Amino acid sequence: LMKINNISIVIPILNEEKNLIRLIKEIEDVKNQMNLNNFEIILVDDNSTDNTCKILNNIKSKKKFVRYFIRKKKRRDLTQSLFIGFNRSLYENIVVMDGDLQHPPRYIKKLLQVFFKNKADVVIGSRNLFKKRGPGLNFFRFISSLFIIYIINFLLDNKTTDPLSGFFIFKKRIYKKNKKKLFGQGYKILADIIYSCPEKLKILDCDIFFDSRKSGKSKMNLLVLLQLIIFIIKSFLLKWKIRI
């Protein structure tokens, strides 16, 4: 019988007041269904301006497995929020997901089963956009994501069908061992982890459908795109050991 335990779910959030209660409820349903022990949810708030903090306080008082931290920096950054969560996490197996319900919590079970069954280092909730476009992407996001994924796979090797996914599970030791090598900024932490770490990782994809955002707005903007382009260029130069 496969034993699945020691799970930290780290979720970066920003102005998700309308999504938090449902998000925690759906994750807790998975926890109870799988009978998970040594389990926690860590929410890292990037200095929200809505009622997120008040809701987090209320959730924490009722759910002992929920912890949260506030990143009080002027410049918001999802990767830096995740680093706080990784550093504060209690357990070795870390699930990363968004707080806007585009990453359906029901898929956590599937990711965990693939991860533990195959003794993987990383399992990615892949949108597999070359085969399908789920309801969570409009046409522009779909085409731009396809283009960026193609560029990443062409320049940096094809390690996954979805290096832009924000929904995945990985071993914390990978972060601890390689954190000084990480680009460390922007909104695409998965690509940073799998392309900045020199060791050969066992990476598996797990096809899922992302949902459309339930409330709030996307954090994607030109700065996020620029950070991603800079990361790709830097990683390509490092791959071929080209100095500028």
Side-chain angles (χ1 to χ4, degrees), residues 15-17 20 48-57:
N15 296 331
E16 299 290 0
E17 62 178 0
L20 282 172
S48 292
T49 54
D50 61 2
N51 288 316
T52 290
C53 190
K54 183 178 178 182
I55 294 169
L56 287 173
N57 265 321

Side-chain angles (χ1 to χ4, degrees), residues 191-204:
D192 199 359
I193 289 172
I194 64 177
Y195 289 108
S196 297
C197 301
E199 63 187 282
K200 185 172 177 60
L201 302 173
K202 185 173 184 180
I203 301 170
L204 299 175

Side-chain angles (χ1 to χ4, degrees), residues 1-5 7 34 93 108-123 169 171 202 204 206:
L1 187 66
M2 185 170 54
K3 192 173 182 181
I4 301 177
N5 278 312
I7 310 296
M34 298 186 72
N93 307 299
I108 293 172
K109 179 179 179 180
K110 188 177 180 182
L111 290 180
L112 290 174
Q113 288 173 334
V114 172
F115 182 76
F116 280 89
K117 181 181 179 181
N118 295 279
K119 298 180 180 178
D121 295 307
V122 185
V123 171
I169 178 171
K171 292 189 178 297
K202 185 173 184 180
L204 299 175
C206 184

Side-chain angles (χ1 to χ4, degrees), residues 117-135:
K117 181 181 179 181
N118 295 279
K119 298 180 180 178
D121 295 307
V122 185
V123 171
I124 298 161
S126 172
R127 298 166 295 178
N128 208 344
L129 298 178
F130 290 100
K131 289 186 177 179
K132 63 186 188 302
R133 173 164 72 100

